[in-house]
Amino acid sequence: MTVPPPLSDEEITRKLAELDGWTRHGDEITKTFAHTYHECVHLAMYVAAKAREVGHHPDIDIRWQRIRFAITTHDAGHKLTRKDFDLARHIDAIAEGHGAKPA
């Protein structure tokens, strides 16, 4: 598996502007969605399946009626790469399909 190179701050800023509701926290991007607790669990399962398919895995935190995704490229030294932004788009599409709303 080829690890993509880390993005520059300018590239990160540009790619982040293309995503709705994702924010940068150091070398990861995060987004929280609201839904019922059980739907958040279902959403996590669908995102996990996509993550396995694309070979890139987010950190997932489920709380009461909230699910938070945090993405960084662990293999690139916990830096942001194009893979993070690609996965964020997949997560947005899956969340929308499940009726989750940005929190």
Side-chain angles (χ1 to χ4, degrees):
M1 174 176 76
T2 303
V3 178
L7 299 172
S8 69
D9 283 334
E10 294 80 21
E11 291 170 312
I12 292 167
T13 299
R14 185 175 40 67
K15 287 187 171 292
L16 200 55
E18 297 170 359
L19 296 173
D20 185 34
W22 288 85
T23 57
R24 182 181 182 183
H25 298 278
D27 287 321
E28 69 179 12
I29 56 173
T30 67
K31 187 172 182 178
T32 301
F33 295 90
H35 212 321
T36 67
Y37 177 80
H38 292 286
E39 288 302 321
C40 287
V41 172
H42 289 149
L43 178 56
M45 291 172 33
Y46 279 91
V47 168
K50 177 52 90 173
R52 183 181 329 144
E53 178 185 318
V54 301
H56 194 49
H57 303 86
D59 292 332
I60 302 172
D61 181 40
I62 300 173
R63 305 293 171 121
W64 185 72
Q65 297 189 346
R66 296 286 186 271
I67 184 167
R68 178 181 178 267
F69 296 95
I71 312 171
T72 188
T73 302
H74 299 101
D75 293 343
H78 298 273
K79 298 293 182 185
L80 288 166
T81 70
R82 65 166 175 74
K83 289 177 73 173
D84 303 309
F85 294 90
D86 292 344
L87 183 57
R89 281 187 279 284
H90 287 299
I91 291 171
D92 281 345
I94 294 167
E96 182 179 341
H98 280 79
K101 303 294 182 201

